[in-house]
Amino acid sequence: MRAEAQGPTFEGIAADANLLHTLQRLVDRDPDRVIAVTRRGDELVDSTAKQVAAQVHAVAKGLVACGVEPGERVMLMSHTRLEWMIADLAIMSAGAVTVPAYETSSAEQVGWIMEDSGAVVAIVENDELRALHDTVADRGPACHHVFTIEPTDGSAGLDRLAELGAQVDDEEIDRRTRALGPDELATLIYTSGTTGRPKGCMLTH
């Protein structure tokens, strides 16, 4: 038996509305507005709307360079941090679907999420989570690229993605972004699995 729940309808949502519009509105209205503050050692670093949008765009191009197609899944496993938001918005900018995984997930849960979602790329926070991913990599045969946000060698995984996308035409990201409407799938969130294997909850823009 299948149960289906439907929430209230929302009047006045534009046919091309998507979750990326919020950041774009910030850029249009006040590009130099500080929207995030992160700690780098003992220093606090400001990030403006314009800077964050540029990073999102660059990482999205990197995902395209890795062969990510609209509608495909990208797993994202990290604590809450600015790079998580950048990766999430970049995934959507590439027309793809974010599959977040708890950083506390077991190897079995990560393996199942990779297998069930069919993720083609994984972005993990650090070497510890990369090692966890690698123990179950065979469960995600579709996943051909893994990037680490903060590897111990000090390099930045998202910067590497941006480098890979340097030759991708900006118009390709704009085209994919324009194709996203409110009914397009934005994220596939898996339950904690307390009553069995985690189940994917599909959330649209």
Side-chain angles (χ1 to χ4, degrees), residues 30-146:
D30 192 356
D32 295 321
R33 177 182 175 182
V34 174
I35 62 171
V37 180
T38 52
R39 184 175 294 280
R40 298 285 186 268
D42 295 330
E43 184 181 4
L44 293 177
V45 179
D46 294 342
S47 293
T48 65
K50 179 173 58 178
Q51 289 170 332
V52 170
Q55 288 177 287
V56 167
H57 194 78
V59 173
K61 289 170 62 175
L63 291 170
V64 172
C66 288
V68 175
E69 296 290 342
E72 290 188 322
R73 276 63 163 161
V74 177
M75 188 178 77
L76 177 56
M77 184 165 55
S78 169
H79 290 81
T80 301
R81 55 188 294 167
L82 176 60
E83 292 85 354
W84 194 103
M85 182 185 75
I86 289 170
D88 182 37
L89 294 175
I91 293 165
M92 288 188 278
S93 295
V97 177
T98 302
V99 181
Y102 292 112
E103 73 281 356
T104 54
S105 297
S106 67
E108 171 58 30
Q109 289 172 325
V110 172
W112 168 246
I113 290 171
M114 290 174 60
E115 178 183 338
D116 189 62
S117 69
V120 297
V121 171
I123 299 173
V124 299
E125 181 176 21
N126 50 39
D127 289 338
E128 181 182 355
L129 292 180
R130 172 63 187 264
L132 175 65
H133 164 275
D134 289 350
T135 64
V136 292
D138 60 327
R139 299 279 298 275
C143 186
H144 301 298
H145 300 278
V146 184

